[in-house]
Amino acid sequence: MNYDEIYRHGAAPWEIGGPQPAFAAVLDRGVTGPKALDLGCGTGELALALARRGYEVTGVDISPVAIDLARAKAADAGVAVRFEVGDATKLPAAEFDAVFDSGLLHNLHREDEAQTAAYLTLLPTLTTPGGTVHVLGVSAAAGHGWNMTEEFLRASFAAPTWTDTRVADIEVAAIVDGQDLTMPGFLLRAVRA
Ligand SMILES: C[S@@+](CC[C@H](N)C(=O)[O-])C[C@H]1O[C@@H](n2cnc3c(N)ncnc32)[C@H](O)[C@@H]1O
């Protein structure tokens, strides 16, 4: 998928003017902090929501166009977020207390098995022991080539690397041709052992 082109044309269906509603409960209940990482952050809505709640946030996206837009939003809002262009399958190890993925894994899983494996191998190296990972994605139940299942998520975030893995059924919001729609999805939370 050419994400730069999609962002340049303002046609990204996941651009809903805020973070995915299913993250509201996570944001309200409190996030393991202080350091949060948003992988595949797009134009930064979730990263900005986290930063507004006082977390020290880094957002990474492979699309330079998305990162430019995210930086502009942060500057307009007067919110400090570190936005960087990067490939989430190739990041150096780091210690984040909370790692967020809003719609990245489901695309990798749909498009590229090797990249999916690389990403899943890397995630524990980015999460501090006791830290949490939160992954939101569209479920295979949505059809149209989506292929993420609860079994896949549970197998990907299993012991001994991850503990307390929970997968909730949620709705993923999108805007297509100006119409709001929702698709069945999952929100996973797991703790780095
Ligand atoms: C479905 S969009 C979700 C964007 C944002 N998280 C949101 O919820 O609005 C997926 C994002 O992942 C980014 N992406 C795709 N492959 C990536 C990779 N290997 N590393 C980092 N970002 C990637 C895309 O550029 C895109 O912004």
Side-chain angles (χ1 to χ4, degrees), residues 45-157:
E45 292 292 349
L46 177 59
L48 288 167
L50 286 161
R52 284 190 183 104
R53 284 165 172 78
Y55 300 103
E56 189 187 315
V57 188
T58 300
V60 174
D61 201 283
I62 205 161
S63 162
V65 178
I67 291 297
D68 282 349
L69 290 165
R71 286 179 179 151
K73 273 190 200 176
D76 282 353
V79 176
V81 179
R82 186 172 163 194
F83 284 115
E84 291 178 356
V85 176
D87 183 340
T89 68
K90 297 179 182 154
L91 296 175
E95 293 211 335
F96 287 94
D97 305 295
V99 176
F100 286 83
D101 169 336
S102 174
L104 172 56
L105 177 60
H106 74 172
N107 278 333
L108 294 176
H109 184 46
R110 182 179 166 138
E111 290 168 6
D112 192 318
E113 204 175 315
Q115 277 212 319
T116 302
Y119 179 65
L120 290 172
T121 302
L122 203 82
L123 272 180
T125 73
L126 299 171
T127 316
T128 194
T132 51
V133 66
H134 303 267
V135 178
L136 177 145
V138 174
S139 140
H144 301 285
W146 294 107
N147 59 359
M148 208 163 72
T149 61
E150 180 168 347
E151 292 69 30
F152 163 75
L153 283 171
R154 288 195 178 279
S156 302
F157 293 88

